[in-house]
Amino acid sequence: MSNKFLKWLLYIILLIIQIGLIIAVFVVNYLTGTKAGVYRHIYTRRMQYAEGIYSPTHLLWQSIIAACICILFIFLFYYAVKKGHSRFYNVQIALASLLSFFVIVVIQSGFFINMMAYPYIIMVFEIILVIQIIIVIIGSFYEKQLGRNRQRPS
């Protein structure tokens, strides 16, 4: 198989995982309103997470880190466009910037805070951001390889 096909196959698999995670967390949130067992589990975990990793102080730090990542990817996007990287790579950087902004929105938005599965929603968006960062890193290696191939005399 060609390298390009493998790249697209990997990207599609990761995209399906990202979309599946978002759908799954909203299904779990929906089930908290209809199934008592799910509600009890989610409520218990929400209280445990609120005392630990998703305490107000930790959420503030997570928002600051997400804001730094967002700013970093905005600069990377500007640099990638200026250097003439591929459209696919530019879109992936823009998506990473957008996802880091969504992490901030999820953490700070009253809409999400009021959802019972709030800690799980944060987890899912942070996992999706990490997956997107991995895609950008892999894309940067691919772009560097493309750049070397373009510069070699034939």
Side-chain angles (χ1 to χ4, degrees):
M1 286 190 238
S2 72
N3 235 358
K4 192 172 186 176
F5 176 75
L6 288 175
K7 179 183 92 167
W8 280 102
L9 182 65
L10 176 66
Y11 173 70
I12 289 172
I13 290 170
L14 292 174
L15 181 66
I16 290 170
I17 291 170
Q18 290 173 323
I19 292 171
L21 284 170
I22 290 175
I23 291 170
V25 77
F26 283 103
V27 167
V28 166
N29 190 64
Y30 168 75
L31 289 175
T32 59
T34 60
K35 303 284 185 186
V38 176
Y39 177 82
R40 197 169 116 210
H41 171 77
I42 297 296
Y43 180 78
T44 305
R45 292 295 179 184
R46 182 181 173 131
M47 293 301 120
Q48 287 176 344
Y49 289 134
E51 295 171 1
I53 192 168
Y54 294 122
S55 67
T57 306
H58 288 129
L59 288 176
L60 177 64
W61 278 107
Q62 290 175 19
S63 294
I64 291 169
I65 291 169
C68 292
I69 292 171
C70 184
I71 292 168
L72 173 73
F73 278 115
I74 289 172
F75 284 125
L76 282 175
F77 179 72
Y78 174 75
Y79 178 76
V81 169
K82 188 175 179 182
K83 288 290 185 177
H85 289 285
S86 70
R87 187 179 312 162
F88 177 80
Y89 183 66
N90 293 342
V91 168
Q92 296 310 311
I93 293 175
L95 283 174
S97 178
L98 193 61
L99 283 171
S100 59
F101 178 73
F102 281 156
V103 168
I104 298 168
V105 169
V106 166
I107 291 172
Q108 301 295 330
S109 172
F111 175 75
F112 292 107
I113 292 171
N114 293 330
M115 290 183 163
M116 186 53 65
Y118 175 61
Y120 292 103
I121 294 171
I122 295 172
M123 276 185 231
V124 163
F125 274 92
E126 288 174 346
I127 290 169
I128 290 171
L129 177 60
V130 168
I131 291 171
Q132 192 62 35
I133 290 171
I134 291 169
I135 290 172
V136 170
I137 290 170
I138 291 171
S140 71
F141 289 129
Y142 184 74
E143 286 292 317
K144 285 180 185 177
Q145 188 65 31
L146 261 175
R148 287 185 196 141
N149 290 340
R150 287 182 197 153
Q151 293 175 356
R152 283 188 194 153
S154 300

